[in-house]
Amino acid sequence: MVHPKRLLAAVSTVLAVATWVPPAGAATLKDLLDEVSGDTPAPCLETITTTAVPVTRPTGRCAADTVAQLYLRLLRDRARLAVVRDAVAYHRQALEAQRSRLEGGGSSEVEVNKVNVEFHRWQLREVEVTHEVRSAEVFFIHVMTRDPTEFVDPTPDEAAWPADEAAALAALDARLRLSVDERGLAEVALQRAWIDYESVQREVTLLEPMKAFAVDVLAASERGYEVSQVSLGTLLDLASDRFELEEAYLAAGTRRLLLQVRVLELLGRRDALD
Amino acid sequence: MKPTHRVFCALIAWLGLFASAQSAGAASLAEVMDTADGSAAASPPCLALPETEEVPATLPSGRCAGAIVARLYLGLLRDRDRLALMRDGAAYFREWLEHLQPRLDQGGRSPAQSLMAEVERKRLQRREAEVARELRHAEAFFVRVMASDPKDFGSPAVADGALPEDETRALAALAARDDIPLEERAAAETALRLAWIDYDSAQQEAALLGEQHRIARQLLGALEQQFEYSAASFIDVRRALVGLVNTEEGLIHARVRETTLKIRILELLDRRNAVE
């Protein structure tokens, strides 16, 4: 027989799960950051490298940075999922085409298997990225009680962005709330964030044309393959490049946004995220 | 010569047995977890495992001690199989070198082929050294800190029916636990949801990798044959073998992750007795 206390606990949990509805309305990054750290937070002086999804609401002065990372990572992974699904569809189509060729005597089992291995590789990637998205959504729905379908990419106000590192350091210096002890640490944190920002900015600039070229090269190679000027191995390599560069571009764009948020947080300029 | 089939058969047989194998020694996973937990065995569940898989220098303490030790135990079994895989892969390339040598001597093959085989062999030996280091650290932990003999470790089995059929049933089973403080219920529920998502994903990965592995083996076998009559290059064979090793390593990881998560879910539901 089930103990009444256990039964009550089970019923209340099931009811809570069944009846809970996330609050309506857009959930901007700024809203969430305000919620976890208040309007005038002390800056986070550590480097946040969260990989696991927390089971409780983050607390302390780095709570905002942790939530920002989870928020932006979720948006990135949703975009990645779309790219990976395109890759799965592309390879599914290539596999079907190769099987048709095999039936017509224009291919071999080896060629079919080469495409099939790639098809499975992208299916695996889809499972991995879906897993990331689902885990982050659990955090926002059940821990932050927010609807992640309402999340939007922040667009930092350009006027609030420092012109260069010196201007950023000067703005930090003007922050009155920092104690003398923390000023040095905050400067190091800001310099690190700025170096990372410049580096990722360069990465984004390089990746943008690369991903466009990869699309064109793949299209040209597909035509070359049809007239036996390009091997299947080369074609599969180029298809990988095309989708992986797209993923890398998304990742770099998210890292850039995250570093912008980090710099603005260090400067106490969260309002610029509105 | 077809070294592929011989080299990779033993490991595949083990992978198939992973879920059902059982250690006969005195160092089962459940026993080791009980030792780590000590008197804290009946405490509320571990809500968040530390992110790092670093081997600790002392006996883990607190409510996550059992879970930390379980991860190390299963990681050790995983690394043993990874080590065997790297050794098999390196042996494969050594056999290729021996296979190619007479043809090289007769001028029938390019010396670049044997150099490529040698480079791949060294690459796998490097990975072997890395895995061996991780394995030695884990073994030292169990010998020195846990006073148990890792030679006796075996793959755990889970009693039939102990794992809930789906997430909803798992959440209901968690709700029925009356030893979780009210203020921790929400966190425990989130931990279970996340563990279930991880488990679901590990299962899907293992299934896909199993299929990918079958295709990769088939591909390598066919390319080896084609190589004999110069219809495939050694670059093709090398690439297929590297792909096979990577897929197999991924499969080892996925299977162990699946078991680790099954145990994590059982721990959250206070069902350690189901781990045999």
Side-chain angles (χ1 to χ4, degrees), chain B residues 10 33 37 43 79 179 211 227 255:
Chain B
M33 288 172 80
D37 276 338
S43 65
D79 287 345
D179 59 336
E211 179 61 10
F227 178 80
R255 288 271 166 85

Side-chain angles (χ1 to χ4, degrees), chain A residues 6 13 51 120 131 134 237, chain B residues 51 176 189 198 200 211 239:
Chain A
R6 286 188 174 208
T13 304
T51 50
H120 275 80
H131 166 249
R134 285 178 66 196
D237 281 349
Chain B
E51 281 186 43
E189 196 183 294
D198 292 350
D200 197 28
E211 179 61 10
R239 187 184 166 136

Side-chain angles (χ1 to χ4, degrees), chain A residues 132-195:
Chain A
E132 298 296 318
V133 170
R134 285 178 66 196
S135 301
E137 284 179 348
V138 161
F139 168 76
F140 284 107
I141 293 172
H142 296 282
V143 179
M144 299 299 296
T145 57
R146 289 290 185 151
D147 181 358
T149 59
E150 306 284 348
F151 290 3
V152 283
D153 266 321
T155 42
D157 179 5
E158 282 179 25
W161 188 249
D164 52 31
E165 189 182 346
L169 286 167
L172 181 73
D173 204 41
R175 245 191 115 167
L176 300 174
R177 284 178 182 275
L178 280 178
S179 70
V180 177
D181 290 345
E182 286 188 336
R183 202 164 287 271
L185 289 172
E187 268 179 25
V188 172
L190 182 62
Q191 276 180 316
R192 282 186 175 183
W194 197 268
I195 291 167

